[in-house]
Amino acid sequence: MPAGGPMTEAMYYILLVLTMPSHGYQIMALVPKASQGRVHMGPGTLYGVLTRMETERYIEIVEDDGRRKTYAITESGRAALRAETERLQAMLEDQMRWREETKCLKD
Amino acid sequence: MPEGLMERDGEEAKEVRKRMRSDLFDLDHNESWFSDLAERGLFLDRFEGRYAWFKRGTPRKLRYRMDVLSRELTEDELLLYDSAGWHIAATATWEGFRKDVFYYVFQNDGNASVPELHTDPVEQAESLKRLYQRLRRDLWLELVLIGIVYWFYYREGRPELAFKQMVEREPIREYWLFLCFLNFWSILRGWLNVRRLRRRLAGGETLNHRADYRRVHRRFRMTDVLRWALLGWLLAVIAAQLIGAASSRTGPLPEGEPAFPAVRLEEVYDGALSKEGVSGNCSHRWTVAGAAINSLWEEGREGKTNGILNLYTVCIRLPFVRTAERAFAALTEMDTYMAYRLEGIAPVETELVDEAWAASPAAENRNQFILLVRDGRYIVMTFYLDRTDGNLDAPEAEAFRDRCTERLLPMLAQKLED
């Protein structure tokens, strides 16, 4: 996704879990935990997103012992995550208000 | 036997190599092909050059997935793939200026509970972005290359090119251009493929890992055959050119009468030559077009004034009368032949030969007479320079031209008849 645009689910959850510095294995384990088991991530998607977000400077490598890299969210990553959360929240609120007002949406 | 199978050590070989299609990035078709081969007991082991090597084993169902990355995976990262159920089968790198692309082929033993390698199609579409950009860049570079090759070989005008083609036939230029087009086609096919995959993935649809690859394999085999045929043609042409070059000879005069129709300087110049007589050389060669090109260069000096005289004759015998007609038509439209300017050349009415054209001596050299003749399969070009009367002015030059035509044409016609 281009910088500033809506995020993919994979990108959102990786940014979210990287608020705690983690390496690949940890991210793979933390994403299902953060999404309450709803999102499972394939390794291809994980490294695709990590490489891209590192290029876009949403995340950075905070430790690299030659074998294992530890990633963490950057300031611009936090800003992007905040903006995306607000957008999702706004969407959710809009949906609830619309349902309330029109009574058109059934569960 | 499956298509493209090439075995190194016969039917029971432990390893089998297969020609790999040039578009390694045709992910869905390749994944499907590898899976099919595994069901036949051939398991992808490695890529080497243009080949993929497979190890023989007990046929079983395997899932293959390809990953395209802009960087190499570390050992630790590969372990993570492994622990997620995706074991590396083979890897390849497509190197290129600032845009290396790394391919990884992973296999899973058919355990359906293992999550897919790519769980997010939109993210997978993003992972193909670098490859897409690289192919687009290469496409433009190949177009520029075609432009350069075209300019290099075809910048001369059309009649020059047509004449050269009919007489010399230099298929090397067509070969290069054709090869460039073939490469362009290859890259274009790759680029269109990646664009197709990206569009599908960006629309949220996962790849069809069991896509039917037979049609694309057939198409690739055709291109491959064409490539080999081109190489064979090139080798045949080079061999023909080498034989032609080996049989060509140039010898100094005097060496008796040249074995082709040409008038001699002594016959043309109506006067006494200096004591040193005539010097020069005579050459003969064959071209790939089947034409025999003979030339005769003679140089002498006038007896009293010591003014320069020279006569250059090129006699081309073409394989067919029709080719000679077309080549001659192109010749009369050309601006120059070798260093001789042909502008102002005009037809001469004659019944002695099939066609004859003579040049009005040009402003920059009024002492240069040019006569172009075609008779049957023969094209004879005569370039005669006579400086014995000093520099001629325009009316003198015209008289010189007519005098030369009247003198040379019957002599040449007689020799052509002989």
Side-chain angles (χ1 to χ4, degrees):
Chain A
M1 290 288 104
M7 284 181 195
T8 58
E9 206 171 52
M11 194 177 166
Y12 185 86
Y13 278 103
I14 290 177
L15 273 183
L16 184 65
V17 300
L18 283 183
T19 46
M20 288 194 313
S22 318
H23 53 72
Y25 283 96
Q26 289 170 322
I27 301 169
M28 285 274 273
L30 285 171
V31 168
K33 191 178 167 197
S35 62
Q36 299 181 60
R38 195 177 58 81
V39 178
H40 288 270
M41 199 170 289
T45 300
L46 173 74
Y47 283 114
V49 176
L50 286 178
T51 307
R52 188 165 54 77
M53 288 205 303
E54 199 194 331
T55 315
E56 287 170 8
R57 296 178 195 279
Y58 284 166
I59 59 168
E60 61 187 349
I61 296 169
V62 287
E63 202 187 318
D64 185 356
D65 60 9
R67 273 193 67 245
R68 185 171 286 189
K69 290 173 186 163
T70 306
Y71 298 88
I73 193 164
T74 61
E75 265 319 301
S76 69
R78 278 181 199 280
L81 182 66
R82 219 168 13 245
E84 182 66 2
T85 308
E86 282 164 13
R87 191 180 72 85
L88 293 172
Q89 230 158 15
M91 280 169 71
L92 191 64
E93 282 164 16
D94 288 345
Q95 186 265 131
M96 288 167 80
R97 197 180 60 249
W98 182 258
R99 191 159 69 166
E100 201 64 28
E101 284 172 9
T102 63
K103 311 279 185 209
C104 281
L105 261 176
K106 290 177 184 167
D107 287 329
Chain B
M1 189 180 281
E3 64 288 324
L5 186 72
M6 291 181 68
E7 301 202 0
R8 194 164 52 169
D9 304 310
E11 195 64 37
E12 290 311 305
K14 283 181 183 165
E15 282 195 323
V16 172
R17 87 174 176 175
K18 284 170 176 283
R19 184 89 163 77
M20 192 64 210
R21 284 169 53 222
S22 50
D23 31 5
L24 192 60
F25 26 81
D26 190 1
L27 307 185
D28 49 357
H29 292 123
N30 283 331
E31 288 172 354
S32 171
W33 183 47
F34 296 148
S35 301
D36 266 13
L37 287 177
E39 282 181 41
R40 293 180 203 158
L42 294 173
F43 302 94
L44 179 67
D45 184 56
R46 64 189 184 276
F47 296 115
E48 259 177 30
R50 292 165 174 233
Y51 294 94
W53 285 89
F54 296 83
K55 282 206 164 119
R56 226 178 253 287
T58 314
R60 62 182 196 277
K61 282 194 173 184
L62 283 188
R63 280 195 288 169
Y64 281 93
R65 298 291 180 264
M66 291 181 83
D67 210 359
V68 181
L69 291 161
S70 54
R71 66 174 177 87
E72 248 181 313
L73 288 170
T74 63
E75 208 174 307
D76 186 55
E77 288 165 344
L78 284 171
L79 278 173
L80 188 137
Y81 277 79
D82 212 56
S83 68
W86 291 103
H87 317 295
I88 187 147
T91 173
T93 309
W94 188 30
E95 287 173 3
F97 178 64
R98 294 177 65 191
K99 277 198 191 305
D100 286 354
V101 178
F102 300 89
Y103 299 94
Y104 289 91
V105 185
F106 294 95
Q107 66 183 53
N108 170 266
D109 57 6
N111 182 354
S113 65
V114 167
E116 272 294 332
L117 191 83
H118 277 276
T119 42
D120 191 326
V122 180
E123 284 296 347
Q124 195 180 1
E126 273 297 309
S127 74
L128 296 176
K129 191 174 170 184
R130 188 189 185 87
L131 181 62
Y132 181 78
Q133 287 171 338
R134 162 88 191 264
L135 284 163
R136 193 176 52 191
R137 185 191 73 178
D138 287 4
L139 208 57
W140 280 112
L141 285 177
E142 196 62 38
L143 262 182
V144 170
L145 190 68
I146 288 174
I148 292 172
V149 170
Y150 190 85
W151 176 83
F152 188 75
Y153 284 133
Y154 295 88
R155 66 180 184 275
E156 43 192 48
R158 278 196 64 247
E160 279 84 356
L161 186 69
F163 181 78
K164 224 173 185 180
Q165 279 298 86
M166 279 178 275
V167 175
E168 300 275 350
R169 188 92 202 130
E170 288 179 342
I172 304 295
R173 64 179 72 194
E174 278 91 26
Y175 173 81
W176 284 122
L177 204 62
F178 205 49
L179 199 69
C180 283
F181 276 120
L182 211 61
N183 278 344
F184 179 77
W185 166 242
S186 238
I187 301 170
L188 179 70
R189 207 181 46 203
W191 178 73
L192 287 172
N193 241 329
V194 175
R195 195 177 68 157
R196 170 183 68 85
L197 296 174
R198 282 189 82 203
R199 282 187 173 173
R200 182 186 169 113
L201 291 163
E205 208 178 334
T206 55
L207 295 185
N208 176 10
H209 305 294
R210 297 314 304 249
D212 186 4
Y213 52 83
R214 281 163 193 87
R215 201 166 61 93
V216 291
H217 276 209
R218 266 199 305 273
R219 212 166 47 199
F220 172 70
R221 270 205 305 278
M222 271 166 55
T223 324
D224 215 30
V225 165
L226 204 60
R227 225 179 260 275
W228 283 108
L230 262 179
L231 188 68
W233 182 44
L234 175 74
L235 292 175
V237 166
I238 288 174
Q241 281 177 338
L242 285 175
I243 292 166
S247 68
S248 82
R249 56 179 189 273
T250 302
L253 287 177
E255 57 166 19
E257 282 294 309
F260 57 91
V263 285
R264 306 300 297 266
L265 186 60
E266 281 170 330
E267 297 170 288
V268 178
Y269 182 64
D270 191 15
L273 294 170
S274 71
K275 275 186 277 178
E276 286 78 33
V278 176
S279 64
N281 59 53
C282 188
S283 79
H284 166 84
R285 70 184 173 98
W286 283 92
T287 69
V288 181
I293 304 181
N294 294 290
S295 65
L296 176 68
W297 167 262
E298 289 184 291
E299 195 175 276
R301 285 185 183 270
E302 199 266 339
K304 287 177 193 161
T305 60
N306 219 22
I308 295 172
L309 293 163
N310 60 48
L311 181 69
Y312 180 49
T313 307
V314 179
C315 173
I316 303 170
R317 195 187 65 221
L318 287 139
F320 308 105
V321 176
R322 180 79 194 113
T323 323
E325 279 172 4
R326 286 166 56 214
F328 192 75
L331 179 66
T332 56
E333 283 176 34
M334 280 157 57
D335 294 333
T336 55
Y337 177 78
M338 297 177 80
Y340 298 99
R341 298 184 73 83
L342 298 179
E343 53 194 29
I345 197 133
V348 176
E349 275 198 32
T350 179
E351 287 182 0
L352 297 170
V353 290
D354 290 342
E355 292 175 83
W357 289 55
S360 294
E364 67 262 32
N365 192 353
R366 294 192 191 283
N367 302 63
Q368 179 75 66
F369 168 71
I370 298 172
L371 179 68
L372 308 180
V373 164
R374 185 194 65 79
D375 200 45
R377 296 193 291 146
Y378 284 89
I379 291 176
V380 183
M381 294 174 250
T382 308
F383 306 93
Y384 175 52
L385 182 78
D386 182 342
R387 283 203 188 279
T388 53
D389 292 332
N391 285 332
L392 304 174
D393 60 20
E396 282 175 335
E398 273 184 36
F400 168 64
R401 179 198 61 193
D402 295 342
R403 209 165 56 234
C404 286
T405 313
E406 278 166 28
R407 191 167 172 73
L408 256 95
L409 195 53
M411 280 197 280
L412 192 59
Q414 184 59 47
K415 288 186 189 265
L416 278 161
E417 208 162 299
D418 294 345

